[in-house]
Amino acid sequence: MPKTIGTHSGTFHCDEALACYMLHQLGEYKDAKVVRSRDPAVLDTCDIVVDVGGVYDHDGKRYDHHQRGFDEQFSENYKTKLSSAGLIYKHYGKDVIRAILADEKIGDQEVDVLYDKIYEVLIEGIDGNDNGIPRYPDDIEPAYKESTGLGSRVSRLNPWWNQPEGDMDARFANAMKITGEELHERVRYFALAWMPGRKVVEQGFEGRFEVDPSGQIVLFDQFCPWKDYLDTIEEDARTKDPNLAKLIYVLYPDPANNWRVQAIPEAPGSFKSRHALPEAWRGVRDNELSERAGIEGCIFIHQSGFIGGNKTRDGALALARKALTMD
């Protein structure tokens, strides 16, 4: 007999839609029927219940977060109270990730990394939104309205106030579909693009002293979105050895097979560099720049000094090395 997943009837939200979708990825609940009701007698017949019932009991397969006194977090690294999506993900997320990546070669260690990353980039936002937890202090007025996120998209699937409800189960099934598509896209991106990129950055970081004795220049033989990883990798290394020299420049090839030298920002998202390329080079190009720098093959230095280019790997490295000694 097929199992049943219980959740509440009426207006639906992103968290229980995603919770039900995640359960459908598991072999145990793959063909489970979703029963939407607020009748305790009906919910008591369900094999697993999410977002309704006033009970959180993993052994009893009950996952509500609305009851007084509930204050469960994903881990000690997070402060956000879980919604039904977070509860299901906390207990079943690794198996969900394995199911989504069933056709890929993903080991347990990689699943562990993805498990935390997907919570950080997707599930926590759903938890916070459903629990009414602001992302920033209340005294800061938003500069604009934002209604394009996943929660807003799910909310708009509910009938308008002046529309008949129609088939609410079909509407909810659509909500499960779009939340599931978002989850699939995130899991596959972070497994198949983000994690391989992290390995490239880790290798560059570990080999930095072979590039320059200062250990302040990191070189990548291929471009990858290094800003997504380097700060965390460096921070982890500095917790083990606080005396490590801070990274200053990153070198990598561009699509035209030239080389870039880029100053590392002071903090993720900051426009201020730890040590911008020298003021004397900024806004200068080609031969004039090569003459000023005393380095052949120069292409440009941005006016802010955050990035520059050279025709060769050795030329870009020479720029970075010389810039370390200049203001």
Side-chain angles (χ1 to χ4, degrees), residues 82-148:
L82 300 180
S83 68
S84 63
L87 282 171
I88 293 300
Y89 186 78
K90 180 173 183 174
H91 292 289
Y92 304 98
K94 291 183 182 181
D95 288 335
V96 170
I97 289 168
R98 290 188 182 98
I100 292 173
L101 299 173
D103 295 331
E104 309 295 339
K105 294 181 179 179
I106 301 292
D108 289 344
Q109 186 175 357
E110 293 167 312
V111 169
D112 288 344
V113 172
L114 288 170
Y115 177 62
D116 191 77
K117 191 65 179 179
I118 296 301
Y119 184 77
E120 175 194 345
V121 300
L122 177 62
I123 310 295
E124 185 179 22
I126 295 170
D127 288 343
N129 182 273
D130 194 78
N131 283 305
I133 301 170
R135 288 182 295 134
Y136 43 79
D138 292 337
D139 59 355
I140 297 178
E141 184 177 350
Y144 56 88
K145 292 183 178 180
E146 198 288 312
S147 61
T148 62

Side-chain angles (χ1 to χ4, degrees), residues 54-71:
V55 175
Y56 167 46
D57 176 9
H58 177 50
D59 292 335
K61 300 291 192 290
R62 295 305 188 254
Y63 300 94
D64 198 9
H65 66 107
H66 298 98
Q67 58 273 22
R68 185 180 181 86
F70 177 88
D71 191 28

Side-chain angles (χ1 to χ4, degrees), residues 29 31-32 34 70 96 123 136 138 162 166 179 191 197 201-202 224 236 255 260 262-263 298 304:
Y29 300 106
D31 299 317
V34 176
F70 177 88
V96 170
I123 310 295
Y136 43 79
D138 292 337
N162 56 354
T179 57
V201 176
E202 286 175 338
C224 71
D236 289 346
R260 297 291 178 95
Q262 187 164 347
C298 290
S304 69

Side-chain angles (χ1 to χ4, degrees), residues 40-281:
V42 173
L43 296 172
D44 284 346
T45 68
C46 295
D47 296 285
I48 189 167
V49 176
V50 301
D51 210 43
V52 67
V55 175
Y56 167 46
D57 176 9
H58 177 50
D59 292 335
K61 300 291 192 290
R62 295 305 188 254
Y63 300 94
D64 198 9
H65 66 107
H66 298 98
Q67 58 273 22
R68 185 180 181 86
F70 177 88
D71 191 28
E72 189 80 9
Q73 283 79 36
F74 180 66
S75 73
E76 62 183 12
N77 298 323
Y78 295 91
K79 298 178 180 179
T80 304
K81 186 169 72 171
L82 300 180
S83 68
S84 63
L87 282 171
I88 293 300
Y89 186 78
K90 180 173 183 174
H91 292 289
Y92 304 98
K94 291 183 182 181
D95 288 335
V96 170
I97 289 168
R98 290 188 182 98
I100 292 173
L101 299 173
D103 295 331
E104 309 295 339
K105 294 181 179 179
I106 301 292
D108 289 344
Q109 186 175 357
E110 293 167 312
V111 169
D112 288 344
V113 172
L114 288 170
Y115 177 62
D116 191 77
K117 191 65 179 179
I118 296 301
Y119 184 77
E120 175 194 345
V121 300
L122 177 62
I123 310 295
E124 185 179 22
I126 295 170
D127 288 343
N129 182 273
D130 194 78
N131 283 305
I133 301 170
R135 288 182 295 134
Y136 43 79
D138 292 337
D139 59 355
I140 297 178
E141 184 177 350
Y144 56 88
K145 292 183 178 180
E146 198 288 312
S147 61
T148 62
L150 185 60
S152 297
R153 289 163 56 205
V154 169
S155 179
R156 288 195 294 271
L157 295 176
N158 285 286
W160 304 340
W161 70 272
N162 56 354
Q163 274 186 320
E165 282 192 354
D167 188 343
M168 287 296 288
D169 287 347
R171 289 178 181 270
F172 185 72
N174 197 16
M176 289 174 57
K177 178 176 180 291
I178 68 167
T179 57
E181 288 172 347
E182 184 79 11
L183 177 65
H184 266 259
E185 189 276 330
R186 296 292 185 96
V187 169
R188 290 187 60 79
Y189 167 77
F190 281 99
L192 305 179
W194 181 82
M195 283 207 307
R198 182 182 173 90
K199 290 178 181 178
V200 170
V201 176
E202 286 175 338
Q203 291 169 357
F205 181 81
E206 291 167 0
R208 67 195 184 283
F209 287 103
E210 299 173 14
V211 174
D212 187 78
S214 69
Q216 295 184 292
I217 302 171
V218 178
L219 185 146
F220 306 128
D221 289 323
Q222 63 183 99
F223 173 77
C224 71
W226 55 269
K227 291 181 183 179
D228 289 350
Y229 323 95
L230 192 56
D231 184 72
T232 301
I233 292 170
E234 181 185 23
E235 184 178 336
D236 289 346
R238 288 178 65 82
T239 58
K240 299 173 184 175
D241 183 0
N243 296 318
L244 278 180
K246 279 194 171 185
L247 303 178
I248 300 299
Y249 298 119
V250 167
L251 276 60
Y252 55 87
D254 67 17
N257 293 320
N258 297 312
W259 279 77
R260 297 291 178 95
V261 51
Q262 187 164 347
I264 294 173
E266 282 192 349
S270 172
F271 291 109
K272 186 175 182 181
S273 302
R274 293 178 179 178
H275 189 84
L277 294 165
E279 195 280 332
W281 300 351

